[in-house]
Amino acid sequence: MPGHEQGHLPLAGHAVYAISVAAELAGVGVQTLRLYEQHGLISPIRSSGGTRRYSGDDLARLARITALAGQGVNLTGIARILDLEDTNAALRASNDALAAEQGRGPHPGNPHP
């Protein structure tokens, strides 16, 4: 598929995995995924029939959630950490865009050029 660098895998943002597959890939139970959704940690896309569909990006987020939970962080703490990480990523992207507009390139401390 042209422009598809991952070979046979779907694009990271393309929600294709059913809840049972996502749970298996993430190494957690289906009820755990539902709990994470209830706490706002993950927001899978819903099909027109209401079925949850998870993307590669969702699976990466689930890996971060399970890593934090494995370190003993509770769900409220995980939510706060993820919120701070998301905000930090958005700020870095904004700073990089501003720097690019000014012709300076990305910030030297940013590992994501």
Side-chain angles (χ1 to χ4, degrees), residues 2-91:
H4 197 270
E5 297 174 9
Q6 295 180 3
H8 66 282
L9 296 175
L11 296 173
H14 193 169
V16 297
Y17 302 104
I19 192 168
S20 59
V21 174
E24 184 176 340
L25 291 171
V28 299
V30 170
Q31 292 297 358
T32 301
L33 289 186
R34 290 186 178 119
L35 178 68
Y36 291 165
E37 184 179 358
Q38 288 172 355
H39 283 270
L41 302 178
I42 190 100
S43 298
I45 299 212
R46 298 283 185 144
S47 70
S48 58
T51 304
R52 292 171 178 87
R53 293 287 178 205
Y54 294 84
S55 67
D57 289 339
D58 292 328
L59 294 176
R61 189 169 181 93
L62 284 168
R64 181 70 177 128
I65 292 166
T66 56
L68 290 167
Q71 294 172 0
V73 180
N74 65 27
L75 295 181
T76 301
I78 291 172
R80 184 66 179 134
I81 290 168
L82 293 176
D83 182 50
L84 290 169
E85 289 176 349
D86 291 345
T87 299
N88 189 25
L91 288 171

